Amino acid sequence: MMSKNTTKQPENIYVHQSDLPEWVKIEDYPSVAIDTESMGLFHERDRLCLIQLTFDGKNCHLVQFQANNLQESPKLIRLLENKKIQKIFHFARFDCGLLFHTFGVMTNNIYCTKIASKLARTYTEKHGLKTLCNELLGMEISKKEQSSDWGKSVLTQEQKNYAAGDVLYLHEIRDKLNEMLEREGRKNLAIECFEALKCIIKLDGSGWSENLFAHL
């Protein structure tokens, strides 16, 4: 049984407004872990409040979006559309759907650790981020700040730490899941599922939330 460690701390947490700054060279990295925070779970009602990113699993960037003060985010949009940089999410259907609703662009080169987990870890029905950190990395993470006010202009240190923690482990989790997918011969199936997310996100945004492939 893998021994459990406390949550690791990022080397730096940078807070930006509306976009990544110029000094963040996005093209220098092959992948980036991304998560989002919003005012709720309905894209049409609940606005995007925060995007958290890490390119190296050490330094985290938190990009805030203020109500009634929306600005263009050209660098973030360029990152999302870049086909060469892999974007790692835990529940890509929600996050990419929110980003699509907010910016009107579809995220390219998606990797979803929840989908990968469901394909690789068929011995369990538990595929949450906390479970994956615990089982695959031997790390304990807290979800205490999950339901909090992400729309306020100044985030607490606890919120910053929580937001950073949601992306800090995704590169490592992806690598562990890829090993399992390769072992079980499901890597190509996972890739096809990631590509299919684009269509599903468009269906979600058009009101087709039910499963079109179901018999009923």
Side-chain angles (χ1 to χ4, degrees):
M1 184 75 174
M2 186 182 295
S3 61
K4 303 300 184 296
N5 301 312
T6 57
T7 305
K8 72 175 181 179
Q9 297 299 315
E11 293 181 4
N12 298 286
I13 299 178
Y14 303 99
V15 180
H16 317 293
Q17 299 300 317
S18 301
D19 205 358
L20 289 168
E22 283 303 314
W23 60 266
V24 179
K25 305 301 181 183
I26 60 176
E27 286 83 4
D28 290 348
Y29 300 92
S31 60
V32 56
I34 305 177
D35 190 33
T36 64
E37 305 295 343
S38 63
M39 289 301 294
L41 300 178
F42 298 97
H43 299 158
E44 293 77 12
R45 182 194 67 187
D46 302 316
R47 70 175 180 88
L48 172 69
C49 299
L50 187 74
I51 299 178
Q52 50 264 53
L53 313 92
T54 180
F55 293 88
D56 58 7
K58 299 176 182 178
N59 298 282
C60 295
H61 300 273
L62 310 183
V63 183
Q64 275 190 290
F65 299 87
Q66 306 295 346
N68 304 317
N69 188 28
L70 296 178
Q71 301 179 20
E72 294 183 359
S73 308
K75 193 162 187 175
L76 278 170
I77 291 174
R78 190 169 81 244
L79 172 62
L80 296 175
E81 293 184 316
N82 191 311
K83 295 182 179 180
K84 295 182 179 180
I85 303 174
Q86 185 178 68
K87 292 83 180 179
I88 312 167
F89 298 88
H90 178 61
F91 183 34
R93 182 176 182 177
F94 176 84
D95 295 314
C96 293
L98 178 60
L99 296 171
F100 182 62
H101 179 79
T102 302
F103 299 117
V105 299
M106 184 59 68
T107 303
N108 285 313
N109 198 349
I110 298 170
Y111 188 105
C112 179
T113 56
K114 183 178 281 288
I115 290 175
S117 177
K118 288 182 176 181
L119 288 172
R121 299 171 62 252
T122 50
Y123 50 82
T124 180
E125 294 183 355
K126 296 182 178 180
H127 303 284
L129 181 60
K130 185 174 182 177
T131 297
L132 293 179
C133 286
N134 193 304
E135 179 184 320
L136 300 181
L137 306 180
M139 303 296 292
E140 294 279 5
I141 66 170
S142 171
K143 305 298 285 184
K144 182 180 178 181
E145 297 295 324
Q146 185 172 25
S147 298
S148 64
D149 181 8
W150 293 100
K152 57 189 179 183
S153 58
V154 179
L155 300 176
T156 65
Q157 189 59 50
E158 289 76 16
Q159 285 180 308
K160 293 177 186 178
N161 291 338
Y162 170 85
D166 269 0
V167 293
L168 208 56
Y169 305 97
L170 291 184
H171 282 89
E172 295 176 84
I173 290 173
R174 175 203 60 183
D175 294 343
K176 293 288 187 180
L177 290 172
N178 276 344
E179 291 177 4
M180 298 178 73
L181 290 168
E182 290 278 9
R183 187 190 71 199
E184 302 302 321
R186 298 171 186 159
K187 183 70 177 292
N188 289 336
L189 184 59
I191 293 172
E192 292 180 18
C193 287
F194 302 152
E195 282 296 318
L197 277 171
K198 293 181 181 181
C199 179
I200 294 171
I201 289 165
K202 290 179 181 178
L203 288 170
D204 288 343
S206 300
W208 299 98
S209 57
E210 73 270 19
N211 186 354
L212 295 180
F213 301 96
H215 176 64
L216 297 178

